[in-house]
Amino acid sequence: MYHTEPGFFNEDHHRIALRVTAQASAVIHNSVLFETTHEEAVTDQLTGLPNNRFLILHLTRELARARRLASSVAVLLLDLDNLKDINDAYGHPTGDRALREVAAVLRRAIRPYDIVSRYGGDEFIVLLSDCRIEDAEAKRVELQQVVDALPFVVRGTQRVRLAVSVGAAVFPRDGDTYEALLAMADQQMYRDKSQRKRLTPAPSGIPTAM
């Protein structure tokens, strides 16, 4: 409230202002509370990434958009290979830190309008809009490389190698629903994991199970 004339406001103005601000503050508080509750409902509390609930809503919109524009959407399913081994060897707080650090590098490795979410446990999902099959494959390899390059320190200067297995599925080639794309990405991820088990030497410091 403002007026150019000094002493313009009187006690009646003051009383009305207090009554209005009391009501306004309650409305603002409820609005902030609603926004916070909504954000928490679609956010993974450990990594700060969108959670599975947000993922389904976003992918539903992206598939509708892709059908309308005759474009493509890629779904990449990532599994952090040795999380159980890290938990067993160094404790769950270290495993949680591994998840947070992987989440951070994945978020930096995608475009601003793409989405990386925590799917649950040791799995993440990346959604890539307007992404062709060859681009999805290139991004799959790139994400593996950025996780491979992540310097993860567990004790003092001791480092543990982090790695992810990744499977990709692209709409409409591999399916036209969330369930179909996820099933294909899951199948491809386990194929990738199996191949990498045969080709990748054992990481030092912890067991090799993936």
Side-chain angles (χ1 to χ4, degrees):
M1 298 176 64
Y2 172 81
H3 201 280
T4 56
E5 181 182 334
F8 175 82
F9 297 111
N10 56 36
E11 286 300 317
D12 286 337
H13 292 123
H14 184 255
R15 177 176 50 81
I16 293 171
L18 287 178
R19 183 171 298 178
V20 170
T21 53
Q23 295 179 1
S25 65
V27 172
I28 293 170
H29 172 75
N30 289 338
S31 177
V32 171
L33 182 62
F34 175 82
E35 185 65 27
T36 301
T37 303
H38 174 72
E39 184 175 345
E40 290 176 350
V42 295
T43 302
D44 174 62
Q45 297 305 302
L46 176 64
T47 63
L49 295 178
N51 62 17
N52 192 43
R53 178 188 229 177
F54 178 90
L55 172 71
I56 294 174
L57 294 173
H58 183 76
L59 181 54
T60 300
R61 290 193 297 265
E62 283 298 305
L63 290 177
R65 176 178 174 273
R67 292 186 187 98
R68 186 173 67 254
L69 301 178
S71 62
S72 56
V73 178
V75 176
L76 274 57
L77 177 62
L78 302 85
D79 181 86
L80 182 56
D81 291 333
N82 51 349
L83 180 62
K84 182 179 184 304
D85 299 327
I86 293 173
N87 285 334
D88 292 344
Y90 306 108
H92 285 271
T94 301
D96 289 346
R97 182 163 58 86
L99 287 168
R100 287 193 294 269
E101 294 193 21
V102 169
V105 298
L106 293 178
R107 183 157 34 193
R108 292 194 296 267
I110 62 174
R111 299 169 298 185
Y113 50 85
D114 290 327
I115 294 293
V116 55
S117 68
R118 187 180 178 201
Y119 186 56
D122 54 3
E123 293 183 325
F124 300 87
I125 287 182
V126 174
L127 299 183
L128 306 172
S129 303
D130 299 317
C131 184
R132 299 171 300 177
I133 295 169
E134 55 271 26
D135 296 328
E137 175 60 22
K139 179 58 69 172
R140 183 186 74 82
V141 174
E142 179 190 343
L143 294 180
Q144 287 183 315
Q145 291 173 343
V146 298
V147 174
D148 283 342
L150 180 62
F152 186 67
V153 179
V154 290
R155 289 175 183 164
T157 58
Q158 182 182 356
R159 293 187 177 186
V160 168
R161 174 179 169 267
L162 299 179
V164 289
S165 300
V166 188
V170 179
F171 168 90
R173 185 196 69 169
D174 298 319
D176 60 358
T177 65
Y178 167 80
E179 293 82 4
L181 291 169
L182 186 58
M184 177 58 73
D186 184 70
Q187 178 181 329
Q188 295 298 326
M189 184 272 291
Y190 276 104
R191 180 177 299 174
D192 180 56
K193 185 182 291 287
S194 177
Q195 292 174 345
R196 293 172 60 256
K197 273 186 176 181
R198 293 195 300 268
L199 299 175
T200 304
S204 59
I206 59 174
T208 62
M210 289 187 177

